[in-house]
Amino acid sequence: MGTHKSAHIVWDWNGTLFHDNDAIIGATNAAFAELGLAPITLEQYRSLYCVPVPKFYERLLGRLPSDAEWELMDGTFHRYYAEHRVRCGLTEGAEELLAGWRSDGHSQSLLSMYGHEELVPVVRGFGIEPHFVRIDGRTGPSGGSKAEHMVRHLKALAGVAEPERTVVIGDAADDAVAARHVGARAVLYSGGSHSRASLAGAGVPVVDSLAEAVAEARRIAAQAG
C-alpha cells in the first residue's frame, strides 16, 4: 500500500505526549518513603521501572509488596502525582506533531494507564482533545499491563483504525507488548519512563524525539501491506 493510505497512531500519555518525569519520580519517592525506602534518581528509575508496577517495587524491596503495602504506596503515589503534575507540560513539539498528522488526513487516538476520569480533563486543558478520535484512560485497578486495554481501545475504533496500519507510540516496553497483542506496530520514545538501553530489548524501533517517532510511524504505515 502507498503513502496515500491513511494510518493511525495510538499515543501514550505519561512520559510520551506529557513530559511528567519530575512528577513521576517525586511521586515514586513519596511512595517509597512510606516503607522506609531510600529515594532513587530519575536515572535509576528509568533503568529499573517495569510493568506490572509491583514487580518494579520488588526490584527495590527484594520482594513483592504485600497487598497492604501496595495499596499504601499506590495511594501515596497518586496523591503526590495529582498535586505535582500541574507543573508539567507537553513534550517538545507534541502539539505541532498532533496537528500535522491530523492535517495530513491520518487519525490518532490516546490510550493511557492514567485513570480515565483524571486523564480527560488534563488533555482538554492543553487544548489538544480535538486531535484525537478517541481518548481512553485506565479503568479498574492500577499497576497492570496495557495489553487488554489496547484490545478494547482498538475494538472501539473499528472502522477507523486497522491494526496493520496502526502504530503505537509510547515510552515503555509495555507499549510494544500491547501493540503486538493486537497486531499493531510500535515505536518507543526514549525520553520518558525507560532509558534507551532498557527499551532496546523490545524488538521495535527506539527513537529520541517525538518527531522521529512520527517519521517512523509514517514509514511503517507506508510499508504496511
Side-chain angles (χ1 to χ4, degrees):
M1 291 187 179
T3 55
H4 66 284
K5 293 286 187 177
S6 62
H8 185 84
I9 291 176
V10 177
W11 290 96
D12 174 57
W13 180 244
N14 303 97
T16 304
L17 288 175
F18 190 42
H19 187 64
D20 59 351
N21 288 352
D22 288 345
I24 291 286
I25 192 63
T28 297
N29 283 330
F32 285 173
E34 293 287 358
L35 297 190
L37 290 170
I40 62 173
T41 65
L42 178 60
E43 290 72 25
Q44 289 173 313
Y45 177 92
R46 281 163 43 83
S47 66
L48 292 170
Y49 181 74
C50 64
V51 173
V53 179
K55 294 288 289 183
F56 167 55
Y57 289 151
E58 181 182 25
R59 294 181 175 184
L60 279 300
L61 282 170
R63 60 176 175 81
L64 281 170
S66 68
D67 289 347
E69 288 172 333
W70 164 251
E71 288 183 18
L72 176 64
M73 296 174 80
D74 191 49
T76 300
F77 177 94
H78 287 290
R79 284 195 302 275
Y80 184 102
Y81 179 82
E83 186 178 328
H84 290 268
R85 66 164 171 74
V86 295
R87 295 199 293 269
C88 301
L90 296 176
T91 300
E92 182 180 358
E95 191 166 3
E96 294 79 8
L97 290 165
L98 292 172
W101 184 260
R102 183 185 179 198
S103 67
D104 285 346
H106 303 302
S107 59
Q108 56 201 330
S109 58
L110 178 59
L111 175 62
S112 173
M113 295 300 283
Y114 191 40
H116 184 77
E117 297 303 319
E118 294 80 23
L119 172 69
V120 173
V122 176
V123 175
R124 189 171 291 150
F126 283 108
I128 59 174
E129 184 181 17
H131 294 309
F132 303 109
V133 295
R134 186 175 181 87
I135 297 173
D136 283 325
R138 187 198 76 251
T139 55
S142 63
S145 172
K146 186 180 275 188
E148 291 307 318
H149 294 271
M150 186 69 73
V151 171
R152 291 190 291 272
H153 186 71
L154 282 196
K155 186 176 181 180
L157 289 171
V160 175
E162 303 169 13
E164 63 272 18
R165 298 194 62 77
T166 295
V167 179
V168 176
I169 298 179
D171 68 320
D174 189 53
D175 290 299
V177 172
R180 196 171 295 119
H181 190 65
V182 296
R185 304 285 293 277
V187 179
L188 299 181
Y189 164 60
S190 67
S193 64
H194 285 49
S195 66
R196 173 177 265 277
S198 66
L199 295 174
V204 301
V206 179
V207 298
D208 299 318
S209 71
L210 294 189
E212 291 176 84
V214 171
E216 188 67 20
R218 290 183 191 280
R219 186 191 66 79
I220 291 170
Q223 293 179 347

